[in-house]
Amino acid sequence: MSDCFDGNVLAAKSFARFGVTHMFGVVGIPVTSLANRAVQLGIRFFAFHNEQSAGYAASAYGYLTGRPGLLLTVSGPGCVHGLAGLSNAMINTWPMVMISGSSDQKDAGRGDFQELDQIEAVKPFSKFSVKAKDIKEIPSCVARVLDQAVSGRPGGCYLDIPTDVLHQTITESEAEKLLDEVEKGRGFEEPKAPPSSEIAKAVSVLRKAERPLIVFGKGAAYGRAEGELRKLIERTGIPFLPTPMGKGLVNDNHELAASAARSLAIGKCDVALVVGARLNWLLHFGESPKWDKDVKFILVDVCEEEIKLRKPHLGLVGDAKKVLEMINKEIKDDPFCLGKSHPWVEAVSKKVKDNVLKMEAQLAKDVVPFNFLTPMRIIRDAILGLGNPAPVVVSEGANTMDVGRSVLVQTEPRTRLDAGTWGTMGVGLGYCIAAAVANPDRLVVAVEGDSGFGFSAMEVETLVRYKLPVVVIVFNNGGVYGGDRRSPEEVTGPFKDDPAPTSFVPGAAYHTVMEAFGGKGYLVGTPDELESALSESFSARKPAVINVTIDPYAGAESGRMQHKN
């Protein structure tokens, strides 16, 4: 490189200097050179087929690593497609930065190539956005988006770099000076913590409770709070309930796990300590009839607005790990523990045992043609058979995700990724790639419905290109929920011979899509075939698709699993 370089090099240098190691995206005008420069400077770039999947990957990478996931897109339509990932990061409160090239500034408003006011377009989906209007602004803009993404409540940020700025040049010495100045000015915030008087109040409420419950979500997972959480649960003997992505922070098989008695646990508890989970639709807004009308919530959240919105009995604003550490310290000085014979612990564990026995009785049957339970049990056992490090499970679909949530067992933190707070379909392969990149020592196993798989199926080529250890299992029941579910009187009108809006081509050969790119495909329809495909693909640790033929009428219970309690 000469002693002068352009905005592409300066942007790449800024990312590398400020700690970025991975980037996801789709290149093209005007950002191809930026991606190439980033690779030269030691940043690993993952090129996708569409910005939506790349954005989902960036959002999940932010969750799994605690560092902003980066998405690089072209201008106009590229930026718009990238909004899928940015909004997903925003709603799930994960740190992510979308960087888009944009039209030449002097041609604004004249209908330039792929022109769009991108700063305006990203507003509803980002917590902070900035445009680098001159090459000299690049380092500070890069530092600001990276810092804002992780500060306070994490979320999506946006950096706009116009074409003309990418082509401006700067001397090497000037660039180094700018980078040094920006680096010196970066401050990192200490984790937030509530006053100790509030902690004492919370402990006193928990101590007096007759039927306490600890609920935790992916905010606690993001905050790496598992050690303090386990300590709290084991010291106090309080039953716990994870949200779907909180599963694994404490082993699902722990004797105090209340997931299999969810309705009883939330319906009867008198005090609920909720850590890093919002009282949104996933927790029935914390309202009766699902919860007792007099339940006292102690909410632990990094965001003060969240606590003001929910109006709990007690709100503790702070970092999940830090707050739990303070609670544990407070309890240590004057310990209390419910004990196994405590009537509440007994009631929860009895209900758990009864429900697990019912579920296991259904799971024990080998049903062929497959229903959802038989293959899910076989997958569960194969995953548990791998031991540690446990694979990361990516789960997406309607029936497939519901059944998976009840059947698959998470034993380690941050090993389950699913449709999340927003119920986003299409996240599957993007999440798989992020998980493989963020956890190079873990196998990644996706358990997808055929409809969920369809959103991002082309990214199986990306798995093969980067040789990622990902096994994608597709539950193929011929459509959304499974084929044509209409009653005869619904099948009328001039287009009655068309397939139903919920149905796909029956018997679709999804495994051959993987084979087209040199990966391994399996078609399975019996327990033996599935066991053999899992055993072979899990030990190979190479890209594979297992196409599991499911009875199209097996999914009639769409989304009913959570009401089995």
Side-chain angles (χ1 to χ4, degrees), residues 39-279:
V39 172
Q40 274 182 314
L41 291 167
I43 293 172
R44 195 168 185 207
F45 190 90
F46 291 87
F48 280 68
H49 289 274
N50 89 40
E51 293 89 355
Q52 193 177 357
S53 287
Y56 290 145
S59 70
Y61 177 91
Y63 166 66
L64 292 168
T65 63
R67 302 195 308 276
L70 262 64
L71 166 66
L72 180 67
T73 85
V74 302
S75 42
C79 170
V80 171
H81 293 164
L83 292 178
L86 194 64
S87 54
N88 191 61
M90 204 61 215
I91 303 289
N92 285 295
T93 73
W94 297 339
M96 170 179 164
V97 172
M98 176 161 100
I99 309 112
S100 300
S102 59
S103 317
D104 201 310
Q105 293 176 100
K106 70 175 187 324
D107 293 324
R110 298 171 58 197
D112 193 16
F113 175 68
Q114 293 192 334
E115 186 183 338
L116 173 70
D117 182 345
Q118 291 164 199
I119 291 284
E120 202 51 44
V122 304
K123 266 205 181 115
F125 310 113
S126 55
K127 59 186 278 200
F128 174 74
S129 56
V130 65
K131 181 191 284 242
K133 297 186 169 113
D134 183 272
I135 189 166
K136 294 191 173 104
E137 294 177 14
I138 289 175
S140 72
C141 287
V142 167
R144 282 164 75 196
V145 289
L146 291 173
D147 294 347
Q148 286 283 340
V150 292
S151 82
R153 171 185 266 185
C157 292
Y158 173 68
L159 171 59
D160 190 285
I161 315 182
T163 303
D164 48 302
V165 175
L166 289 169
H167 293 153
Q168 283 176 348
T169 56
I170 191 169
T171 65
E172 187 159 1
S173 59
E174 207 176 349
E176 288 305 328
K177 199 173 125 207
L178 283 171
L179 288 164
D180 289 342
E181 273 167 23
V182 171
E183 192 159 37
K184 275 197 198 89
R186 287 178 89 195
F188 291 96
E189 51 182 55
E190 281 300 302
K192 276 191 198 163
S196 50
S197 59
E198 296 292 291
I199 297 284
K201 267 189 225 166
V203 170
S204 152
V205 174
L206 274 175
R207 190 189 299 277
K208 290 180 189 144
E210 286 177 30
R211 296 178 302 282
L213 179 68
I214 297 172
V215 178
F216 50 85
K218 61 182 179 313
Y222 174 82
R224 304 288 192 277
E226 55 270 16
E228 294 298 331
L229 200 52
R230 279 183 213 131
K231 202 184 283 182
L232 175 66
I233 287 162
E234 278 160 10
R235 270 191 192 156
T236 60
I238 297 175
F240 68 88
L241 180 73
T243 66
M245 277 181 59
K247 280 163 65 74
L249 280 182
V250 182
N251 193 318
D252 278 348
N253 287 329
H254 192 286
E255 58 184 6
L256 288 164
S259 296
R262 186 176 189 271
S263 303
L264 171 82
I266 68 176
K268 292 280 194 287
C269 72
D270 60 351
V271 171
L273 172 65
V274 181
V275 185
R278 290 170 280 178
L279 294 178

Side-chain angles (χ1 to χ4, degrees), residues 354-376:
D354 292 350
N355 284 344
V356 166
L357 280 173
K358 274 183 220 160
M359 179 64 125
E360 287 303 322
Q362 283 194 281
L363 285 169
K365 302 171 193 153
D366 275 343
V367 179
V368 182
F370 279 151
N371 59 5
F372 280 84
L373 292 172
T374 300
M376 203 64 85

